[in-house]
Amino acid sequence: MPNHEGIGSMEASLERARANIRRAVRIRGYISQKEQSFVPRGEIYRNPYAFHQSYIEMEKRLKVWTYREGERPIYHDGPFSLMYSIEGHIIDELENSNSTFIAARPDEANVFFLPFSITNILRYVYRPFIASMIPLQTCTTDYVKLILNKYPYWNRSDGADHFMVACHDWGPYVSYGKPKLFKNFIRIMCNANSSEGFHPDRDATLPEVNIHDGRLSPPDEEEEPPPKRPILAFFAGGEHGHIRSVLLRHWKDKDDEVQVHEYLPKGVNYHATMRKARYEVASPRIDESLYAGCVPVILSLNFVLPLSDVLDWSKFSVSIPVERISDIKTILQSITDKEYARLRSGVIQARKHFVLNRPAKSYDVIHMVLHSLWLRRLNVRLPY
């Protein structure tokens, strides 16, 4: 049976956090008994006072319990390099680090992590590969049923304080097989398309950090200042999805200022070329744009941008409707130098929150993902 006294104490703690956040917004300041190493300020934040106080409350109160059931490599493991790597690093951070967010016991946790890796399920279960969601859905549903039959925590919230992390495109399909079972479940995913069942009030966008050569943080090379950026816009990537198909059809290898390639010419370095561009177009790996000092150009109106509970993307990115992809050059050329400087200043400020550290550090990408989780947990009120 649930420990109602423990639930009551936990809910009272969360209510104090909500009250402190409301007060910080009202007084336009923050409430803390310890010195703050970083104070978020500036127009890139939707409400810097709410964000700062919420982050302080998260550091004080968030506790994550990771279920122990299941064996590697599908559970308690994940990729550590290339485009799905954030999935593995978050699993590892919540299991094998000294993070203060890790609960010592499940009854002190206010969120519960189901540590299965969608990427590894597809790697090890799908042999040979079949284009069917059923094995994925069976694997994850069986895990949830094991959890809810063995512990009281899923049942007391109907899964509303439980979460998964998935960077693979198939992440959303986990919940499609048993929608009633997963109706309250928090999904933190790179594939955050609101037209495909992503719910921004419950789900959270996971930034896609593409790790090359084992380097977690941005490259050390000094980026080029705007006067030395002769390329107006840059993109290089395979034809994957409708938007990229349209982009490549209009711009592939056709313009020296808007450089769009399906495959880079031989001898051309991807990161070095990006550092010579003012804007970077259409990549889901927005972190690469920010690291290179490029202003991201967002082409999908259905993609829920990462950390958008906190960050105002209009202050450091440009949105262009898909139907106007043919006008990219005209639209970007119409942006004044003053407006571009403002956007790029926002890029420099925002990229702090997209750096991957191990162990994680305050305000970096892992802690910001946990903050997205924290905000969703604040919206859940358990009965007691």
mmCIF file of all heavy atoms in Angstrom, residues 51 54-55 58 62 90 111 163 186-189 198-207 304-311 353-354 364-379:
data_model
loop_
_atom_site.group_PDB
_atom_site.id
_atom_site.type_symbol
_atom_site.label_atom_id
_atom_site.label_comp_id
_atom_site.label_asym_id
_atom_site.label_seq_id
_atom_site.Cartn_x
_atom_site.Cartn_y
_atom_site.Cartn_z
ATOM 1 N N PHE A 51 11.983 30.830 -14.149
ATOM 2 C CA PHE A 51 12.944 29.787 -14.468
ATOM 3 C C PHE A 51 13.981 29.646 -13.365
ATOM 4 O O PHE A 51 14.268 28.534 -12.898
ATOM 5 C CB PHE A 51 13.617 30.089 -15.802
ATOM 6 C CG PHE A 51 14.818 29.227 -16.102
ATOM 7 C CD1 PHE A 51 14.775 27.856 -15.888
ATOM 8 C CD2 PHE A 51 15.988 29.790 -16.595
ATOM 9 C CE1 PHE A 51 15.879 27.057 -16.164
ATOM 10 C CE2 PHE A 51 17.089 28.996 -16.873
ATOM 11 C CZ PHE A 51 17.033 27.631 -16.652
ATOM 12 N N SER A 54 12.443 28.172 -10.235
ATOM 13 C CA SER A 54 12.093 26.777 -10.488
ATOM 14 C C SER A 54 13.331 25.894 -10.462
ATOM 15 O O SER A 54 13.319 24.782 -9.917
ATOM 16 C CB SER A 54 11.376 26.655 -11.840
ATOM 17 O OG SER A 54 11.094 25.314 -12.145
ATOM 18 N N TYR A 55 14.419 26.395 -11.042
ATOM 19 C CA TYR A 55 15.659 25.619 -11.050
ATOM 20 C C TYR A 55 16.190 25.444 -9.620
ATOM 21 O O TYR A 55 16.650 24.363 -9.241
ATOM 22 C CB TYR A 55 16.704 26.302 -11.927
ATOM 23 C CG TYR A 55 17.884 25.418 -12.249
ATOM 24 C CD1 TYR A 55 17.898 24.647 -13.403
ATOM 25 C CD2 TYR A 55 18.975 25.334 -11.388
ATOM 26 C CE1 TYR A 55 18.968 23.815 -13.695
ATOM 27 C CE2 TYR A 55 20.050 24.508 -11.661
ATOM 28 C CZ TYR A 55 20.047 23.749 -12.813
ATOM 29 O OH TYR A 55 21.106 22.914 -13.085
ATOM 30 N N MET A 58 14.134 22.831 -8.010
ATOM 31 C CA MET A 58 14.487 21.513 -8.526
ATOM 32 C C MET A 58 15.730 20.974 -7.838
ATOM 33 O O MET A 58 15.773 19.806 -7.423
ATOM 34 C CB MET A 58 14.716 21.578 -10.035
ATOM 35 C CG MET A 58 15.142 20.235 -10.631
ATOM 36 S SD MET A 58 15.710 20.316 -12.349
ATOM 37 C CE MET A 58 17.332 21.073 -12.147
ATOM 38 N N LEU A 62 14.039 17.749 -6.301
ATOM 39 C CA LEU A 62 13.830 16.663 -7.257
ATOM 40 C C LEU A 62 14.611 15.417 -6.854
ATOM 41 O O LEU A 62 15.807 15.469 -6.607
ATOM 42 C CB LEU A 62 14.272 17.095 -8.665
ATOM 43 C CG LEU A 62 14.100 16.027 -9.752
ATOM 44 C CD1 LEU A 62 12.627 15.709 -9.985
ATOM 45 C CD2 LEU A 62 14.763 16.463 -11.052
ATOM 46 N N ILE A 90 21.966 9.938 -20.450
ATOM 47 C CA ILE A 90 21.012 10.231 -19.376
ATOM 48 C C ILE A 90 20.751 8.980 -18.538
ATOM 49 O O ILE A 90 20.683 9.059 -17.298
ATOM 50 C CB ILE A 90 19.708 10.808 -19.951
ATOM 51 C CG1 ILE A 90 19.969 12.213 -20.505
ATOM 52 C CG2 ILE A 90 18.614 10.847 -18.880
ATOM 53 C CD1 ILE A 90 18.744 12.908 -21.054
ATOM 54 N N VAL A 111 9.793 11.285 -8.804
ATOM 55 C CA VAL A 111 9.652 10.812 -10.175
ATOM 56 C C VAL A 111 10.374 9.472 -10.305
ATOM 57 O O VAL A 111 11.347 9.207 -9.591
ATOM 58 C CB VAL A 111 10.194 11.811 -11.225
ATOM 59 C CG1 VAL A 111 9.272 12.980 -11.426
ATOM 60 C CG2 VAL A 111 11.592 12.271 -10.879
ATOM 61 N N PHE A 163 8.626 8.291 -16.141
ATOM 62 C CA PHE A 163 9.100 8.834 -17.419
ATOM 63 C C PHE A 163 10.071 7.895 -18.112
ATOM 64 O O PHE A 163 10.668 7.008 -17.497
ATOM 65 C CB PHE A 163 9.740 10.209 -17.223
ATOM 66 C CG PHE A 163 11.087 10.204 -16.534
ATOM 67 C CD1 PHE A 163 12.266 10.329 -17.270
ATOM 68 C CD2 PHE A 163 11.197 10.095 -15.154
ATOM 69 C CE1 PHE A 163 13.516 10.344 -16.643
ATOM 70 C CE2 PHE A 163 12.435 10.103 -14.515
ATOM 71 C CZ PHE A 163 13.590 10.229 -15.268
ATOM 72 N N ILE A 186 5.122 10.297 -18.872
ATOM 73 C CA ILE A 186 5.951 11.378 -19.401
ATOM 74 C C ILE A 186 6.974 10.797 -20.369
ATOM 75 O O ILE A 186 7.792 9.957 -19.990
ATOM 76 C CB ILE A 186 6.670 12.129 -18.265
ATOM 77 C CG1 ILE A 186 5.655 12.715 -17.273
ATOM 78 C CG2 ILE A 186 7.563 13.228 -18.827
ATOM 79 C CD1 ILE A 186 6.289 13.265 -16.006
ATOM 80 N N ARG A 187 6.932 11.254 -21.615
ATOM 81 C CA ARG A 187 7.882 10.793 -22.628
ATOM 82 C C ARG A 187 8.829 11.947 -22.971
ATOM 83 O O ARG A 187 8.389 12.985 -23.441
ATOM 84 C CB ARG A 187 7.147 10.328 -23.874
ATOM 85 C CG ARG A 187 6.126 9.217 -23.619
ATOM 86 C CD ARG A 187 5.334 8.887 -24.873
ATOM 87 N NE ARG A 187 4.676 10.082 -25.412
ATOM 88 C CZ ARG A 187 4.092 10.121 -26.617
ATOM 89 N NH1 ARG A 187 4.101 9.065 -27.399
ATOM 90 N NH2 ARG A 187 3.513 11.223 -27.042
ATOM 91 N N ILE A 188 10.108 11.739 -22.721
ATOM 92 C CA ILE A 188 11.129 12.740 -23.064
ATOM 93 C C ILE A 188 11.818 12.241 -24.322
ATOM 94 O O ILE A 188 12.574 11.270 -24.290
ATOM 95 C CB ILE A 188 12.126 12.930 -21.909
ATOM 96 C CG1 ILE A 188 11.382 13.338 -20.628
ATOM 97 C CG2 ILE A 188 13.167 13.985 -22.261
ATOM 98 C CD1 ILE A 188 12.280 13.459 -19.412
ATOM 99 N N MET A 189 11.566 12.914 -25.463
ATOM 100 C CA MET A 189 11.939 12.350 -26.758
ATOM 101 C C MET A 189 12.521 13.400 -27.698
ATOM 102 O O MET A 189 12.099 14.558 -27.693
ATOM 103 C CB MET A 189 10.706 11.740 -27.432
ATOM 104 C CG MET A 189 9.976 10.705 -26.603
ATOM 105 S SD MET A 189 8.542 10.017 -27.484
ATOM 106 C CE MET A 189 7.508 11.485 -27.630
ATOM 107 N N PHE A 198 2.738 13.949 -29.973
ATOM 108 C CA PHE A 198 3.538 14.546 -28.907
ATOM 109 C C PHE A 198 2.679 15.577 -28.170
ATOM 110 O O PHE A 198 2.074 16.449 -28.790
ATOM 111 C CB PHE A 198 4.783 15.218 -29.495
ATOM 112 C CG PHE A 198 5.711 15.809 -28.466
ATOM 113 C CD1 PHE A 198 6.730 15.056 -27.919
ATOM 114 C CD2 PHE A 198 5.570 17.126 -28.055
ATOM 115 C CE1 PHE A 198 7.593 15.597 -26.971
ATOM 116 C CE2 PHE A 198 6.425 17.679 -27.118
ATOM 117 C CZ PHE A 198 7.442 16.911 -26.582
ATOM 118 N N HIS A 199 2.634 15.473 -26.837
ATOM 119 C CA HIS A 199 1.804 16.365 -26.027
ATOM 120 C C HIS A 199 2.714 17.274 -25.194
ATOM 121 O O HIS A 199 3.278 16.823 -24.191
ATOM 122 C CB HIS A 199 0.890 15.565 -25.102
ATOM 123 C CG HIS A 199 -0.041 14.647 -25.833
ATOM 124 N ND1 HIS A 199 -1.169 15.095 -26.476
ATOM 125 C CD2 HIS A 199 0.006 13.306 -26.032
ATOM 126 C CE1 HIS A 199 -1.793 14.072 -27.032
ATOM 127 N NE2 HIS A 199 -1.096 12.976 -26.790
ATOM 128 N N PRO A 200 2.894 18.537 -25.582
ATOM 129 C CA PRO A 200 3.860 19.405 -24.893
ATOM 130 C C PRO A 200 3.565 19.626 -23.414
ATOM 131 O O PRO A 200 4.484 19.913 -22.647
ATOM 132 C CB PRO A 200 3.746 20.729 -25.672
ATOM 133 C CG PRO A 200 3.168 20.362 -26.990
ATOM 134 C CD PRO A 200 2.266 19.194 -26.732
ATOM 135 N N ASP A 201 2.298 19.508 -23.002
ATOM 136 C CA ASP A 201 1.986 19.708 -21.588
ATOM 137 C C ASP A 201 2.402 18.518 -20.734
ATOM 138 O O ASP A 201 2.578 18.652 -19.521
ATOM 139 C CB ASP A 201 0.490 19.981 -21.401
ATOM 140 C CG ASP A 201 -0.378 18.884 -21.992
ATOM 141 O OD1 ASP A 201 0.100 18.155 -22.877
ATOM 142 O OD2 ASP A 201 -1.548 18.761 -21.573
ATOM 143 N N ARG A 202 2.582 17.360 -21.348
ATOM 144 C CA ARG A 202 2.957 16.145 -20.618
ATOM 145 C C ARG A 202 4.328 15.632 -21.037
ATOM 146 O O ARG A 202 5.131 15.203 -20.211
ATOM 147 C CB ARG A 202 1.908 15.060 -20.880
ATOM 148 C CG ARG A 202 2.132 13.763 -20.108
ATOM 149 C CD ARG A 202 1.269 12.654 -20.696
ATOM 150 N NE ARG A 202 1.718 12.272 -22.031
ATOM 151 C CZ ARG A 202 0.948 11.638 -22.915
ATOM 152 N NH1 ARG A 202 -0.308 11.348 -22.621
ATOM 153 N NH2 ARG A 202 1.437 11.309 -24.102
ATOM 154 N N ASP A 203 4.612 15.653 -22.334
ATOM 155 C CA ASP A 203 5.886 15.183 -22.860
ATOM 156 C C ASP A 203 6.900 16.330 -22.892
ATOM 157 O O ASP A 203 6.537 17.500 -22.797
ATOM 158 C CB ASP A 203 5.703 14.632 -24.279
ATOM 159 C CG ASP A 203 4.713 13.474 -24.336
ATOM 160 O OD1 ASP A 203 4.675 12.688 -23.371
ATOM 161 O OD2 ASP A 203 3.974 13.368 -25.337
ATOM 162 N N ALA A 204 8.179 15.980 -23.065
ATOM 163 C CA ALA A 204 9.234 16.990 -23.145
ATOM 164 C C ALA A 204 10.181 16.646 -24.283
ATOM 165 O O ALA A 204 10.431 15.466 -24.566
ATOM 166 C CB ALA A 204 10.005 17.074 -21.822
ATOM 167 N N THR A 205 10.706 17.680 -24.941
ATOM 168 C CA THR A 205 11.629 17.482 -26.057
ATOM 169 C C THR A 205 13.038 17.245 -25.539
ATOM 170 O O THR A 205 13.539 17.980 -24.683
ATOM 171 C CB THR A 205 11.629 18.710 -26.980
ATOM 172 O OG1 THR A 205 10.298 18.995 -27.378
ATOM 173 C CG2 THR A 205 12.483 18.458 -28.209
ATOM 174 N N LEU A 206 13.671 16.219 -26.084
ATOM 175 C CA LEU A 206 15.045 15.882 -25.737
ATOM 176 C C LEU A 206 15.974 16.417 -26.826
ATOM 177 O O LEU A 206 15.845 16.036 -27.989
ATOM 178 C CB LEU A 206 15.188 14.359 -25.635
ATOM 179 C CG LEU A 206 16.559 13.786 -25.275
ATOM 180 C CD1 LEU A 206 16.962 14.218 -23.876
ATOM 181 C CD2 LEU A 206 16.525 12.259 -25.382
ATOM 182 N N PRO A 207 16.913 17.330 -26.498
ATOM 183 C CA PRO A 207 17.854 17.803 -27.523
ATOM 184 C C PRO A 207 18.694 16.646 -28.058
ATOM 185 O O PRO A 207 19.151 15.789 -27.303
ATOM 186 C CB PRO A 207 18.729 18.812 -26.762
ATOM 187 C CG PRO A 207 17.906 19.211 -25.582
ATOM 188 C CD PRO A 207 17.105 18.000 -25.205
ATOM 189 N N VAL A 304 8.170 20.612 -31.592
ATOM 190 C CA VAL A 304 8.210 21.352 -30.329
ATOM 191 C C VAL A 304 9.673 21.503 -29.935
ATOM 192 O O VAL A 304 10.354 20.517 -29.646
ATOM 193 C CB VAL A 304 7.416 20.623 -29.235
ATOM 194 C CG1 VAL A 304 7.473 21.409 -27.930
ATOM 195 C CG2 VAL A 304 5.961 20.422 -29.674
ATOM 196 N N LEU A 305 10.157 22.716 -29.943
ATOM 197 C CA LEU A 305 11.585 22.970 -29.753
ATOM 198 C C LEU A 305 12.037 22.623 -28.337
ATOM 199 O O LEU A 305 11.273 22.777 -27.374
ATOM 200 C CB LEU A 305 11.891 24.433 -30.065
ATOM 201 C CG LEU A 305 11.755 24.786 -31.552
ATOM 202 C CD1 LEU A 305 11.630 26.286 -31.739
ATOM 203 C CD2 LEU A 305 12.939 24.243 -32.345
ATOM 204 N N PRO A 306 13.271 22.142 -28.184
ATOM 205 C CA PRO A 306 13.751 21.739 -26.861
ATOM 206 C C PRO A 306 13.821 22.909 -25.886
ATOM 207 O O PRO A 306 14.143 24.037 -26.256
ATOM 208 C CB PRO A 306 15.145 21.165 -27.132
ATOM 209 C CG PRO A 306 15.457 21.429 -28.549
ATOM 210 C CD PRO A 306 14.251 21.887 -29.246
ATOM 211 N N LEU A 307 13.487 22.607 -24.629
ATOM 212 C CA LEU A 307 13.576 23.562 -23.520
ATOM 213 C C LEU A 307 12.685 24.779 -23.748
ATOM 214 O O LEU A 307 12.934 25.848 -23.183
ATOM 215 C CB LEU A 307 15.026 23.999 -23.287
ATOM 216 C CG LEU A 307 16.089 22.888 -23.285
ATOM 217 C CD1 LEU A 307 17.461 23.479 -23.010
ATOM 218 C CD2 LEU A 307 15.756 21.795 -22.305
ATOM 219 N N SER A 308 11.641 24.625 -24.565
ATOM 220 C CA SER A 308 10.814 25.786 -24.915
ATOM 221 C C SER A 308 9.883 26.216 -23.789
ATOM 222 O O SER A 308 9.238 27.257 -23.903
ATOM 223 C CB SER A 308 10.016 25.512 -26.190
ATOM 224 O OG SER A 308 9.280 24.317 -26.098
ATOM 225 N N ASP A 309 9.804 25.443 -22.694
ATOM 226 C CA ASP A 309 9.121 25.944 -21.499
ATOM 227 C C ASP A 309 9.858 27.156 -20.942
ATOM 228 O O ASP A 309 9.254 28.038 -20.332
ATOM 229 C CB ASP A 309 9.080 24.869 -20.407
ATOM 230 C CG ASP A 309 8.246 23.679 -20.800
ATOM 231 O OD1 ASP A 309 7.069 23.873 -21.117
ATOM 232 O OD2 ASP A 309 8.782 22.556 -20.801
ATOM 233 N N VAL A 310 11.170 27.168 -21.149
ATOM 234 C CA VAL A 310 12.044 28.176 -20.543
ATOM 235 C C VAL A 310 12.571 29.160 -21.577
ATOM 236 O O VAL A 310 12.606 30.370 -21.343
ATOM 237 C CB VAL A 310 13.227 27.466 -19.843
ATOM 238 C CG1 VAL A 310 14.303 28.469 -19.454
ATOM 239 C CG2 VAL A 310 12.742 26.689 -18.633
ATOM 240 N N LEU A 311 12.972 28.645 -22.747
ATOM 241 C CA LEU A 311 13.638 29.473 -23.751
ATOM 242 C C LEU A 311 12.651 30.016 -24.773
ATOM 243 O O LEU A 311 11.774 29.295 -25.254
ATOM 244 C CB LEU A 311 14.720 28.660 -24.466
ATOM 245 C CG LEU A 311 15.853 28.110 -23.598
ATOM 246 C CD1 LEU A 311 16.805 27.272 -24.445
ATOM 247 C CD2 LEU A 311 16.612 29.224 -22.898
ATOM 248 N N HIS A 353 23.077 26.012 -22.332
ATOM 249 C CA HIS A 353 22.105 25.009 -21.900
ATOM 250 C C HIS A 353 22.084 23.770 -22.784
ATOM 251 O O HIS A 353 21.275 22.865 -22.550
ATOM 252 C CB HIS A 353 20.718 25.637 -21.853
ATOM 253 C CG HIS A 353 20.625 26.833 -20.966
ATOM 254 N ND1 HIS A 353 21.012 26.793 -19.643
ATOM 255 C CD2 HIS A 353 20.209 28.113 -21.207
ATOM 256 C CE1 HIS A 353 20.825 27.998 -19.105
ATOM 257 N NE2 HIS A 353 20.350 28.801 -20.028
ATOM 258 N N PHE A 354 22.944 23.703 -23.789
ATOM 259 C CA PHE A 354 22.971 22.562 -24.704
ATOM 260 C C PHE A 354 24.298 21.816 -24.663
ATOM 261 O O PHE A 354 24.538 20.932 -25.476
ATOM 262 C CB PHE A 354 22.666 23.031 -26.132
ATOM 263 C CG PHE A 354 21.233 23.458 -26.316
ATOM 264 C CD1 PHE A 354 20.840 24.749 -25.975
ATOM 265 C CD2 PHE A 354 20.286 22.574 -26.790
ATOM 266 C CE1 PHE A 354 19.522 25.150 -26.122
ATOM 267 C CE2 PHE A 354 18.967 22.973 -26.944
ATOM 268 C CZ PHE A 354 18.585 24.255 -26.601
ATOM 269 N N ASP A 364 23.450 22.675 -17.607
ATOM 270 C CA ASP A 364 23.833 22.073 -18.878
ATOM 271 C C ASP A 364 22.661 21.264 -19.428
ATOM 272 O O ASP A 364 21.560 21.271 -18.867
ATOM 273 C CB ASP A 364 25.109 21.236 -18.739
ATOM 274 C CG ASP A 364 24.911 19.921 -17.985
ATOM 275 O OD1 ASP A 364 23.777 19.644 -17.515
ATOM 276 O OD2 ASP A 364 25.892 19.156 -17.858
ATOM 277 N N VAL A 365 22.873 20.533 -20.518
ATOM 278 C CA VAL A 365 21.738 19.933 -21.214
ATOM 279 C C VAL A 365 21.054 18.848 -20.382
ATOM 280 O O VAL A 365 19.815 18.752 -20.372
ATOM 281 C CB VAL A 365 22.166 19.393 -22.598
ATOM 282 C CG1 VAL A 365 23.089 18.190 -22.497
ATOM 283 C CG2 VAL A 365 20.942 19.059 -23.441
ATOM 284 N N ILE A 366 21.808 18.026 -19.638
ATOM 285 C CA ILE A 366 21.167 16.994 -18.827
ATOM 286 C C ILE A 366 20.346 17.615 -17.716
ATOM 287 O O ILE A 366 19.197 17.224 -17.464
ATOM 288 C CB ILE A 366 22.208 16.007 -18.271
ATOM 289 C CG1 ILE A 366 22.792 15.154 -19.412
ATOM 290 C CG2 ILE A 366 21.594 15.109 -17.202
ATOM 291 C CD1 ILE A 366 23.813 14.115 -18.966
ATOM 292 N N HIS A 367 20.896 18.615 -17.050
ATOM 293 C CA HIS A 367 20.138 19.269 -15.979
ATOM 294 C C HIS A 367 18.939 20.037 -16.532
ATOM 295 O O HIS A 367 17.897 20.131 -15.866
ATOM 296 C CB HIS A 367 21.047 20.196 -15.181
ATOM 297 C CG HIS A 367 21.871 19.469 -14.165
ATOM 298 N ND1 HIS A 367 22.485 20.094 -13.107
ATOM 299 C CD2 HIS A 367 22.181 18.148 -14.044
ATOM 300 C CE1 HIS A 367 23.138 19.204 -12.374
ATOM 301 N NE2 HIS A 367 22.978 18.016 -12.943
ATOM 302 N N MET A 368 19.058 20.561 -17.739
ATOM 303 C CA MET A 368 17.917 21.256 -18.338
ATOM 304 C C MET A 368 16.818 20.264 -18.726
ATOM 305 O O MET A 368 15.626 20.566 -18.616
ATOM 306 C CB MET A 368 18.360 22.067 -19.546
ATOM 307 C CG MET A 368 19.233 23.267 -19.199
ATOM 308 S SD MET A 368 18.399 24.509 -18.178
ATOM 309 C CE MET A 368 17.231 25.200 -19.358
ATOM 310 N N VAL A 369 17.206 19.081 -19.173
ATOM 311 C CA VAL A 369 16.210 18.041 -19.448
ATOM 312 C C VAL A 369 15.516 17.633 -18.151
ATOM 313 O O VAL A 369 14.287 17.461 -18.109
ATOM 314 C CB VAL A 369 16.874 16.826 -20.130
ATOM 315 C CG1 VAL A 369 15.920 15.635 -20.177
ATOM 316 C CG2 VAL A 369 17.320 17.192 -21.538
ATOM 317 N N LEU A 370 16.286 17.499 -17.082
ATOM 318 C CA LEU A 370 15.679 17.193 -15.784
ATOM 319 C C LEU A 370 14.757 18.321 -15.333
ATOM 320 O O LEU A 370 13.725 18.077 -14.696
ATOM 321 C CB LEU A 370 16.766 16.939 -14.736
ATOM 322 C CG LEU A 370 17.556 15.648 -14.907
ATOM 323 C CD1 LEU A 370 18.657 15.547 -13.858
ATOM 324 C CD2 LEU A 370 16.649 14.418 -14.826
ATOM 325 N N HIS A 371 15.105 19.554 -15.676
ATOM 326 C CA HIS A 371 14.220 20.665 -15.333
ATOM 327 C C HIS A 371 12.905 20.577 -16.105
ATOM 328 O O HIS A 371 11.838 20.884 -15.557
ATOM 329 C CB HIS A 371 14.905 22.010 -15.597
ATOM 330 C CG HIS A 371 14.070 23.179 -15.199
ATOM 331 N ND1 HIS A 371 13.341 23.933 -16.098
ATOM 332 C CD2 HIS A 371 13.794 23.714 -13.971
ATOM 333 C CE1 HIS A 371 12.685 24.877 -15.460
ATOM 334 N NE2 HIS A 371 12.931 24.765 -14.176
ATOM 335 N N SER A 372 12.960 20.167 -17.369
ATOM 336 C CA SER A 372 11.728 19.947 -18.125
ATOM 337 C C SER A 372 10.868 18.884 -17.450
ATOM 338 O O SER A 372 9.640 19.016 -17.358
ATOM 339 C CB SER A 372 12.058 19.503 -19.558
ATOM 340 O OG SER A 372 12.739 20.513 -20.266
ATOM 341 N N LEU A 373 11.524 17.822 -16.962
ATOM 342 C CA LEU A 373 10.811 16.782 -16.215
ATOM 343 C C LEU A 373 10.220 17.354 -14.932
ATOM 344 O O LEU A 373 9.061 17.089 -14.584
ATOM 345 C CB LEU A 373 11.786 15.643 -15.893
ATOM 346 C CG LEU A 373 11.302 14.557 -14.941
ATOM 347 C CD1 LEU A 373 10.206 13.721 -15.587
ATOM 348 C CD2 LEU A 373 12.476 13.667 -14.504
ATOM 349 N N TRP A 374 11.002 18.136 -14.226
ATOM 350 C CA TRP A 374 10.566 18.760 -12.973
ATOM 351 C C TRP A 374 9.310 19.604 -13.183
ATOM 352 O O TRP A 374 8.355 19.542 -12.391
ATOM 353 C CB TRP A 374 11.709 19.599 -12.417
ATOM 354 C CG TRP A 374 11.358 20.630 -11.390
ATOM 355 C CD1 TRP A 374 11.344 21.985 -11.564
ATOM 356 C CD2 TRP A 374 10.998 20.400 -10.021
ATOM 357 N NE1 TRP A 374 10.997 22.613 -10.397
ATOM 358 C CE2 TRP A 374 10.779 21.671 -9.437
ATOM 359 C CE3 TRP A 374 10.834 19.270 -9.243
ATOM 360 C CZ2 TRP A 374 10.412 21.829 -8.095
ATOM 361 C CZ3 TRP A 374 10.463 19.417 -7.907
ATOM 362 C CH2 TRP A 374 10.249 20.677 -7.351
ATOM 363 N N LEU A 375 9.271 20.386 -14.249
ATOM 364 C CA LEU A 375 8.098 21.213 -14.519
ATOM 365 C C LEU A 375 6.854 20.353 -14.716
ATOM 366 O O LEU A 375 5.757 20.706 -14.259
ATOM 367 C CB LEU A 375 8.333 22.076 -15.752
ATOM 368 C CG LEU A 375 9.356 23.206 -15.621
ATOM 369 C CD1 LEU A 375 9.520 23.924 -16.957
ATOM 370 C CD2 LEU A 375 8.963 24.195 -14.536
ATOM 371 N N ARG A 376 7.012 19.231 -15.395
ATOM 372 C CA ARG A 376 5.858 18.357 -15.616
ATOM 373 C C ARG A 376 5.434 17.662 -14.328
ATOM 374 O O ARG A 376 4.247 17.430 -14.104
ATOM 375 C CB ARG A 376 6.183 17.361 -16.728
ATOM 376 C CG ARG A 376 6.049 18.021 -18.104
ATOM 377 C CD ARG A 376 7.063 17.594 -19.118
ATOM 378 N NE ARG A 376 6.900 18.426 -20.321
ATOM 379 C CZ ARG A 376 7.438 19.656 -20.454
ATOM 380 N NH1 ARG A 376 8.150 20.181 -19.473
ATOM 381 N NH2 ARG A 376 7.233 20.350 -21.554
ATOM 382 N N ARG A 377 6.397 17.351 -13.470
ATOM 383 C CA ARG A 377 6.033 16.762 -12.170
ATOM 384 C C ARG A 377 5.297 17.775 -11.301
ATOM 385 O O ARG A 377 4.390 17.396 -10.524
ATOM 386 C CB ARG A 377 7.299 16.260 -11.454
ATOM 387 C CG ARG A 377 7.026 15.653 -10.073
ATOM 388 C CD ARG A 377 6.087 14.464 -10.168
ATOM 389 N NE ARG A 377 5.797 13.888 -8.845
ATOM 390 C CZ ARG A 377 4.804 14.279 -8.065
ATOM 391 N NH1 ARG A 377 3.990 15.258 -8.465
ATOM 392 N NH2 ARG A 377 4.613 13.691 -6.896
ATOM 393 N N LEU A 378 5.628 19.045 -11.411
ATOM 394 C CA LEU A 378 4.909 20.071 -10.642
ATOM 395 C C LEU A 378 3.432 20.140 -11.036
ATOM 396 O O LEU A 378 2.596 20.593 -10.250
ATOM 397 C CB LEU A 378 5.550 21.441 -10.847
ATOM 398 C CG LEU A 378 6.867 21.702 -10.111
ATOM 399 C CD1 LEU A 378 7.377 23.098 -10.441
ATOM 400 C CD2 LEU A 378 6.719 21.538 -8.609
ATOM 401 N N ASN A 379 3.122 19.700 -12.258
ATOM 402 C CA ASN A 379 1.731 19.717 -12.719
ATOM 403 C C ASN A 379 0.924 18.533 -12.226
ATOM 404 O O ASN A 379 -0.282 18.475 -12.447
ATOM 405 C CB ASN A 379 1.689 19.746 -14.258
ATOM 406 C CG ASN A 379 2.186 21.054 -14.818
ATOM 407 O OD1 ASN A 379 2.075 22.107 -14.181
ATOM 408 N ND2 ASN A 379 2.742 21.011 -16.022
#
